[in-house]
Amino acid sequence: MNRFAFFPGCLIPARHPAMEFAIRHTLPKLGIEIVDLEGASCCPDPIYFKSKDKLSWLSVAARNLTLAEDLGLDIFTNCSGCTATLSETYHLLEDETLRAQVNERLSKIGRTYQATSRVRHIATLVRDVAGYDAVRESVVRPLEGLKVAIHYGCHLLKPSRIMQVDDPNNPTVMENLVTALGATPVRHRNWYLCCGKACQTEQVPDDMMHDLLGTVNEEEADILCMICPTCFGQFDHGQMKVSRKFDEDFHTPPIYYFQLLAFAQGVPYDKLGFERQRFKPECLRRFETAPQPAGDPAHTGAQGKNSA
Amino acid sequence: MSKARRDSDSAGSASTPPADIVRVNFEFRRELARKVEGNLAGFCYQCGACVGDCPSATYGGGFNPREIMLKVLYGLGEELLTEDSILWQCTNCYNCHERCPQDVKPVEVIISLKNMLSDLGIYPDNVDKVIKAFEETGRTTPVNPAVQRQRERFGLPPLPPVPVDEIRQLIEPDNAEPRAGARADADKGGTE
Ligand code: SF4
Ligand code: SF4
């Protein structure tokens, strides 16, 4: 088993527990052992608290990293915002002056940042540690024929020099993760746009979201898949707002990748918390009743009885 | 500024420089350079590569990262550090960081400017709200009994409180911060 310290952040554990459930359910099936971090705080968020005082922001982020250092483990995040904060902290604290300043603050609470724990986004953890084949092998319900539009969001990829995850101009990690489920990834024209959450005006994110959902719709995608809970909120709650404002129905259910993976690994639709979404991925239900391919005894068995 | 130039400007009085001459406010630039990565605008050569993929420039009216860097170079702090500052239109998408050939990281300069707004205490209410929640609870998303019940439904353990006292000790304002960060040479000699 590969062991990694789990940095859950704020948004997923408190607002989207279904996502956390999906992560805890799916990773062990891919040979990844989750080790919980005790005493973790908000990363802190790269939009609000970072805007207040970058040095305090770095210090709190460094404290979170030291929790993983105590365990001698690399740390993984399930939110692109947390990834941005922790990866950037790791990067910035390579600077000795800055590291000394941060460590001076950390000394007040008896901690020292040592830069011994690397930061990974959960999507790259699956790609680099488990591998796409392991994902494919874990699937009991291949999502054949499901058209999945992809939203990369910002901080999985950028700034690429710090994230070092994928080519920011032509990434593949999400496409490959979706393909491994048997589904068909769709790259819409506005794939590189962001979710707009950090923008403190209404008009910019609304117009951007309107354009983005328009192109997802053109591709006739069944769902829009993402790996960040902030993006998810923008595409669920935010989509409702934009639909009203422009009086257009895009009806594009957003879905967090690990819930889709859990579903493909056989977790029933009704156990994945989709009923709490404003736009529900009902299109997935057809895979619960569809005949399963040969070679999966659990499902062919059940199916055999039903059709007999 | 030459004496001849000043004399020829009929509109300006002796104490007001003519409108077409910009006086660089180095005080503002030094203040900004004290923030982590706040000194990077000094490397900007105004190429505009940061603008093309900037969503706030594309969808917003009047937001332009190159222009913001220019204002920083001129030290036009009073145009940037206002109650309804345009800085808040940035989406933090990092496209400008990706595109800039000079490693200016415009988004980081913008965030450093927001740090200055915070020093001045002029902040949008919703930003302030999230920061307060973090400072009080160590989290930005509130945890309440309803959240804990939701978690239980998914078989997840209750969320423990964050050791907020430790967080507070880290974020207590420390007035005597030395100049921070890499590339501290960027603004040297900025006293002419
Ligand atoms: S891309 Fe960089 S150098 Fe060019 S204008 Fe923008 S900040 Fe300045
Ligand atoms: S981070 Fe801000 S300034 Fe930079 S491209 Fe994105 S919206 Fe524009």
Side-chain angles (χ1 to χ4, degrees):
Chain A
M1 265 293 192
N2 289 295
R3 306 174 79 230
F4 290 90
F6 180 28
F7 186 83
C10 297
L11 204 49
I12 285 190
R15 193 161 301 151
H16 306 293
M19 295 179 186
E20 183 180 333
F21 160 76
I23 289 165
R24 292 186 187 276
H25 180 87
T26 53
L27 289 195
K29 290 195 181 342
L30 303 176
I32 294 169
E33 187 189 335
I34 296 174
V35 181
D36 286 305
L37 274 180
E38 249 172 72
S41 69
C42 176
C43 54
D45 82 273
I47 302 171
Y48 305 98
F49 190 67
K50 187 181 181 186
S51 300
K52 180 177 179 183
D53 174 12
K54 282 195 196 177
L55 195 58
S56 297
W57 169 78
L58 277 172
S59 305
V60 178
R63 175 186 171 278
N64 281 324
L65 290 175
T66 63
L67 301 175
E69 291 179 353
D70 287 352
L71 301 174
L73 296 174
D74 280 355
I75 192 167
F76 78 93
T77 57
N78 54 10
C79 159
S80 299
C82 299
T83 314
T85 290
L86 298 181
S87 301
E88 214 197 310
T89 300
Y90 184 91
H91 171 81
L92 283 174
L93 295 187
E94 283 170 2
D95 179 82
E96 281 175 22
T97 318
L98 206 48
R99 194 194 292 195
Q101 277 178 272
V102 164
N103 269 334
E104 198 190 308
R105 290 202 184 190
L106 284 172
S107 69
K108 292 193 216 166
I109 58 166
R111 293 193 162 270
T112 313
Y113 171 75
Q114 288 167 312
T116 51
S117 288
R118 278 189 54 204
V119 183
R120 296 162 190 257
H121 188 289
I122 188 168
T124 56
L125 188 70
V126 171
R127 178 189 67 182
D128 300 336
V129 176
Y132 299 127
D133 285 342
V135 176
R136 199 170 297 116
E137 280 155 23
S138 76
V139 168
V140 300
R141 259 181 211 150
L143 307 178
E144 266 156 39
L146 188 74
K147 288 179 85 174
V148 182
I150 287 171
H151 180 72
Y152 270 96
C154 301
H155 304 299
L156 173 63
L157 304 172
K158 297 172 289 186
S160 57
R161 211 156 43 86
I162 295 175
M163 298 303 165
Q164 299 183 1
V165 160
D166 208 338
D167 178 352
N169 299 315
N170 189 17
T172 52
V173 53
M174 289 287 288
E175 273 83 356
N176 290 336
L177 286 173
V178 164
T179 306
L181 307 181
T184 309
V186 175
R187 183 170 286 184
H188 57 99
R189 240 186 324 115
N190 284 321
W191 70 271
Y192 57 87
L193 283 181
C194 76
C195 76
K197 173 68 182 174
C199 183
Q200 302 300 317
T201 62
E202 292 218 344
Q203 176 256 326
V204 170
D206 285 1
D207 287 357
M208 186 158 63
M209 178 71 66
H210 178 248
D211 268 13
L212 201 156
L213 290 171
T215 51
V216 171
N217 229 30
E218 273 171 32
E219 303 291 342
E220 298 179 337
D222 297 307
I223 55 172
L224 178 61
C225 181
M226 59 209 66
I227 35 68
C228 172
T230 299
C231 296
F232 175 86
Q234 288 293 97
F235 285 107
D236 197 34
H237 184 263
Q239 181 175 171
M240 187 74 99
K241 206 174 119 229
V242 168
S243 299
R244 282 203 199 110
K245 182 166 170 181
F246 293 89
D247 196 21
E248 279 175 64
D249 181 13
F250 298 105
H251 212 89
T252 303
I255 188 165
Y256 183 68
Y257 177 78
F258 287 84
Q259 281 166 287
L260 192 62
L261 172 60
F263 178 77
Q265 286 181 348
V267 178
Y269 181 95
D270 290 326
K271 289 238 147 67
L272 283 164
F274 294 132
E275 76 284 352
R276 298 189 72 213
Q277 300 193 185
R278 284 163 186 84
F279 296 88
K280 300 169 187 37
E282 292 279 347
C283 54
L284 293 180
R285 286 199 185 270
R286 71 175 189 264
F287 297 101
E288 286 198 306
T289 50
Q292 300 297 319
D296 176 16
H299 286 269
T300 39
Q303 208 59 47
K305 258 178 236 147
N306 288 347
S307 51
Chain B
M1 181 173 6
S2 72
K3 176 141 197 322
R5 182 63 192 266
R6 182 181 286 174
D7 290 344
S8 70
D9 181 15
S10 51
S13 73
S15 59
T16 324
D20 60 341
I21 291 187
V22 178
R23 277 178 179 279
V24 176
N25 179 349
F26 285 103
E27 196 40 59
F28 162 78
R29 282 182 52 166
R30 273 193 295 272
E31 179 76 33
L32 179 61
R34 259 175 238 128
K35 306 295 179 196
V36 177
E37 298 197 302
N39 59 348
L40 299 177
F43 295 92
C44 174
Y45 52 31
Q46 289 289 298
C47 68
C50 51
V51 184
D53 278 344
C54 169
S56 298
T58 307
Y59 290 96
F63 182 94
N64 180 318
R66 183 192 57 75
E67 280 174 13
I68 293 173
M69 296 312 113
L70 184 62
K71 285 182 179 169
V72 168
L73 288 171
Y74 283 155
L76 300 176
E78 66 282 5
E79 288 186 29
L80 294 167
L81 305 181
T82 57
E83 229 28 89
D84 55 349
S85 174
I86 198 160
L87 300 171
W88 294 107
Q89 285 192 21
C90 171
T91 70
N92 281 42
C93 74
Y94 281 74
N95 279 347
C96 52
H97 190 307
E98 207 57 40
R99 297 283 173 247
C100 176
Q102 284 290 91
D103 278 349
V104 168
K105 308 185 182 176
V107 55
E108 292 298 345
V109 178
I110 289 170
I111 295 170
S112 297
L113 287 163
K114 289 175 178 170
N115 282 187
M116 288 181 80
L117 281 173
S118 152
D119 294 344
L120 295 168
I122 38 178
Y123 247 59
D125 285 346
N126 48 337
V127 175
D128 202 44
K129 224 174 76 190
V130 183
I131 292 172
K132 289 233 164 72
F134 169 68
E135 290 177 345
E136 275 156 29
T137 65
R139 298 179 190 277
T140 45
T141 312
V143 174
N144 51 40
V147 167
Q148 303 287 28
R149 276 196 302 279
Q150 270 296 324
R151 291 183 58 79
E152 208 182 318
R153 235 198 79 203
F154 287 99
L156 299 169
L159 288 171
V162 174
V164 187
D165 48 323
E166 289 194 18
I167 307 297
R168 290 226 180 95
Q169 290 190 60
L170 295 177
I171 63 182
E172 257 169 24
D174 187 344
N175 292 330
E177 291 296 347
R179 183 193 189 96
R183 300 176 68 174
D185 54 320
D187 240 26
K188 282 212 177 115
T191 46
E192 63 267 66

